[in-house]
Amino acid sequence: MPRSRSKVLVLGGGYVGLYVAWTLEKHTEVDLDITVVEPRAYMTYQPLLPEVAGGHVDPRNVTVDLRQAFSHAKLLRASVTGLDSQRRVVTVRTIGGEEQRLDYDHVVIGMGAVSRVFPTPGLAERGIGFKTIEEAVGTRNTVLENVARAAAATDPVERRKYLTFVFVGGGYTGVEALSELSDLSKKAIAAQPALRGERPTWVLIEALDRVAPEVGPELSAWTLEELRGRGIDIRLRTTLKSCEDDVAQLSDGDSFPFGMIVWTAGVKPNPALDTMDLPRGPKGHVVANERLQVVREDGSWVRGVWAAGDIAQIPDTTKRQQPAFYPPNAQNALRQGVLLARNIVATIEGSTVEQYRHASLGTVASYGVGHGAALIKGVKLRGLPAWAAHRAYHGLVIPSLNRKVRVFAGWITEAISRPEITSLVAVEHPTRAFHEAFGTTPSKEKK
């Protein structure tokens, strides 16, 4: 007797969602109805966002169009508003505002993480994160625009404010983004005759006693000295108390005006989990076992529910010291996505599901062209070799041949041409010119 078609809902179109759908599509031996629920039309390859900010990679080239990526999986552009595991129903709100109920046989929780923020006075009004392509482009435009404003300013105090930039959070993502934007600001200043002799001020605020801990203690210490040698003001064991009125007030008692503040102080599971009746870990992640099945406290499977990636707490049984969990990074998310899809197929066929086991390949970090740190299978690299390893790895791993070719072509073009330092901040306010033609100012800028 033939099996009935199994409905698979994939919540989230990031690494997990993309690789789950891709892998399921290859299993033609089972009859699957696959729907990916994601508000955006594309998946973003986040490891290259600092290169987008630095101008080395075109923003479109770190995205994968989800409709074009799938052969028969459907994309529903919507946000998840609830999940009832007893009734096996997910509720969503489409980008058009319509409420829909979707039933499932299997559902994948893969919505990733969002910026972890604190109620710091002024942060919501003046800060910007670095998790999305829009934020990467926004920080780039702000740096370039602030340099232009500084060149036009006659007040030295105002000029110094525009040339002061703050990063909060010294993990390797923050360090990578700061390094790229710092280099960008120097190139932009050099192109402004009015700013001859001026130098930008970049301040990195980190609550811990080190930066880029992901690359290990030795390379972390090297990174600290590398950044300070490039003129970065690094404040360790320091927190941001307030950034109201464009003035950063620090826990060490210092305060100064700034032109941009970027928040890279960690992430937290997607808050859509709050609308679901699923078991959660101490840090808010959905709890899963080694087979990527969402499990209750007694270890029993919440039937039909799977999870992977940044949103999930997945035990790492390869570590000697337990309990241990896999870190939230791309190499785990994409591998978990592939295995999860195979386990769904195995469950439908009644065969054995596999455990997720992956020994980390290491960490590669780029600190601007020719600079970087890498820990690859115990081998430590610094400077140019680490930077080259970073580009080689991510250029090869970014999904789809189309994007690989475009990224490498962009790097080659950049190597033989002048740096691109054009601000496109006006793109963020597309209706402004039209309203100015009427002699009016729009009550709300559309972005």
Side-chain angles (χ1 to χ4, degrees):
M1 181 177 179
R3 300 189 193 96
S4 60
R5 167 171 279 205
S6 295
K7 293 183 179 180
V8 180
L9 289 184
V10 182
L11 308 184
Y15 303 104
V16 171
L18 180 65
Y19 281 91
V20 166
W22 268 354
T23 307
L24 287 176
E25 286 184 331
K26 295 175 183 176
H27 284 273
T28 56
E29 72 275 17
V30 289
D31 189 10
L32 299 175
D33 179 2
I34 309 164
T35 301
V36 178
V37 179
E38 166 61 47
R40 291 187 173 92
Y42 53 86
M43 172 265 193
T44 301
Y45 189 71
Q46 293 179 346
L48 287 181
L49 288 183
E51 297 235 6
V52 170
H56 313 302
V57 177
D58 186 283
R60 291 171 299 179
N61 293 342
V62 299
T63 67
V64 176
D65 185 280
L66 292 174
R67 289 197 186 279
Q68 292 183 332
F70 303 143
S71 59
H72 61 266
K74 298 185 292 290
L75 174 66
L76 175 60
R77 293 189 59 190
S79 300
V80 177
T81 58
L83 185 152
D84 186 332
S85 63
Q86 298 297 316
R87 293 187 173 90
R88 294 200 181 189
V89 170
V90 172
T91 56
V92 302
R93 181 179 296 110
T94 69
I95 57 174
E98 179 185 344
E99 301 286 344
Q100 293 187 17
R101 289 167 56 89
L102 309 172
D103 60 333
Y104 65 84
D105 296 299
H106 296 272
V107 63
V108 178
I109 313 299
M111 294 94 71
V114 300
S115 294
R116 180 188 61 191
V117 295
F118 303 104
T120 304
L123 181 60
E125 296 76 23
R126 291 295 291 119
I128 183 172
F130 204 85
K131 278 283 293 175
T132 68
I133 195 164
E134 294 84 1
E135 290 172 329
V137 173
T139 55
R140 172 181 171 81
N141 285 335
T142 300
V143 167
L144 295 174
E145 199 71 7
N146 279 9
V147 169
R149 288 170 178 162
T154 57
D155 182 353
V157 175
E158 193 72 5
R159 174 175 287 187
R160 180 43 44 196
K161 170 187 170 181
Y162 284 131
L163 295 180
T164 299
F165 308 92
V166 181
F167 262 74
V168 183
Y172 80 92
T173 297
V175 171
E176 285 186 316
L178 180 149
S179 299
E180 289 285 4
L181 290 169
S182 172
D183 288 350
L184 175 69
S185 68
K186 293 172 184 175
K187 294 173 187 174
I189 289 172
Q192 294 280 1
L195 296 179
R196 186 168 297 146
E198 294 280 0
R199 291 184 60 83
T201 298
W202 286 85
V203 182
L204 175 59
I205 302 167
E206 171 54 52
L208 300 178
D209 60 356
R210 59 194 181 280
V211 297
E214 298 89 345
V215 296
E218 183 180 330
L219 289 176
S220 172
W222 177 86
T223 298
L224 180 63
E225 295 308 311
E226 160 78 5
L227 295 178
R228 283 177 168 164
R230 291 162 64 179
I232 309 299
D233 180 0
I234 300 178
R235 312 288 183 94
L236 299 178
R237 301 186 183 90
T238 305
T239 58
L240 178 69
K241 307 302 289 184
S242 171
C243 56
E244 290 183 302
D245 302 321
D246 295 344
V247 175
Q249 296 183 357
L250 311 185
S251 60
D252 62 7
D254 194 11
S255 64
F256 50 85
F258 64 86
M260 180 180 76
I261 189 161
V262 184
W263 186 267
T264 55
V267 296
K268 65 178 181 179
N270 193 306
L273 279 182
D274 297 338
T275 68
M276 304 179 182
D277 62 345
L278 300 177
R280 309 276 290 274
K283 294 184 179 180
H285 301 81
V286 63
V287 178
N289 61 17
E290 301 93 330
R291 298 170 182 83
L292 309 179
Q293 300 165 322
V294 173
V295 292
R296 303 178 182 87
E297 191 172 349
D298 62 2
S300 61
W301 181 27
V302 180
R303 198 72 184 168
V305 185
W306 309 78
D310 297 3
I311 202 169
Q313 175 183 289
I314 297 169
D316 182 357
T317 56
T318 67
K319 300 293 186 184
R320 291 182 180 179
Q321 187 173 348
Q322 295 292 328
F325 303 97
Y326 285 101
N329 57 37
Q331 63 177 285
N332 280 310
L334 66 88
R335 287 170 175 80
Q336 289 168 3
V338 172
L339 178 67
L340 192 158
R342 293 206 305 262
N343 281 350
I344 288 177
V345 173
T347 301
I348 293 171
E349 294 185 324
S351 56
T352 304
V353 296
E354 305 171 57
Q355 293 189 2
Y356 179 72
R357 294 175 62 86
H358 172 65
S360 175
L361 302 176
T363 302
V364 288
S366 169
Y367 305 150
V369 175
H371 303 271
L375 179 63
I376 305 172
K377 291 293 187 179
V379 178
K380 302 179 183 68
L381 301 176
R382 301 170 177 81
L384 182 61
W387 171 78
H390 175 275
R391 282 204 164 179
Y393 175 78
H394 288 299
L396 293 172
V397 170
I398 188 171
S400 87
L401 178 61
N402 178 287
R403 288 317 187 230
K404 296 181 202 297
V405 171
R406 288 177 181 272
V407 166
F408 277 111
W411 284 335
I412 294 170
T413 302
E414 180 195 36
I416 59 176
S417 61
R418 298 176 64 181
E420 178 55 64
I421 53 172
T422 302
S423 168
L424 294 178
V425 70
V427 173
E428 300 174 26
H429 307 288
T431 64
R432 181 178 291 170
F434 187 72
H435 282 276
E436 286 176 351
F438 284 98
T440 62
T441 302
S443 57
K444 183 178 180 181
E445 297 275 11
K446 294 183 180 179
K447 293 188 178 182

